[in-house]
Amino acid sequence: MEGNSKIKIGKFAKASMVLSVGCAIHCVVSPFLFLFLPFFNHSADGLDHTFDLILICFAGILGFSALLHSFKGHHQNPFPIKIFSIGFLCMFVSIFLHNPFLHLPLMVIGSIICGFAQFYNLKIAHLNGANH
């Protein structure tokens, strides 16, 4: 029974990393998509950040749950959680800043930091003998 929980948490951690990478790709591709909005008679002023907020929330839920499991059950090292929190905060704050020059850099930097925290978490979990 315990082996199944380790497999599920391993998938949780991998899903969190995929969402972090997906977030970074979304942040890089979105500005290019905004270039084509005038061709479709739309304005970027009317767009809200609902998709960004949903993506950040899912990445946060999956990321924090995977990190907390590894922290409690495997390595007791709070560094990945602290790093992930900084990245999550960067992304979350960028949604509510209505500054186009800060939004994209904060989203990209935040998602890279979150991805790094997940990779580092897996590394120290494997060094301590966890079967992710």
Side-chain angles (χ1 to χ4, degrees), residues 30-47:
S30 291
F32 295 110
L33 294 178
F34 286 142
L35 292 174
F36 295 106
L37 285 177
F39 294 113
F40 300 110
N41 201 18
H42 287 86
S43 169
D45 296 335
L47 293 177

Side-chain angles (χ1 to χ4, degrees), residues 12-13 15-17 19-20 57-69 81 84 118 121:
F12 239 9
S16 178
M17 281 189 284
L19 279 175
S20 294
C57 287
F58 278 131
I61 290 168
L62 285 172
F64 279 118
S65 62
L67 291 171
L68 286 173
H69 171 76
I81 295 172
F84 189 85
Q118 291 292 340
N121 181 56

Side-chain angles (χ1 to χ4, degrees), residues 102-116:
L102 290 178
H103 176 72
L104 182 64
L106 281 175
M107 290 292 282
V108 172
I109 290 169
S111 60
I112 289 171
I113 291 171
C114 286
F116 169 76

Side-chain angles (χ1 to χ4, degrees), residues 26 29 46 59 81 90 97 103 129:
H26 167 75
V29 172
I81 295 172
C90 285
L97 288 177
H103 176 72

Side-chain angles (χ1 to χ4, degrees), residues 86-102:
I86 292 169
F88 183 77
L89 187 63
C90 285
M91 293 187 300
F92 196 75
V93 166
S94 75
I95 294 288
F96 299 105
L97 288 177
H98 298 288
N99 184 341
F101 298 108
L102 290 178

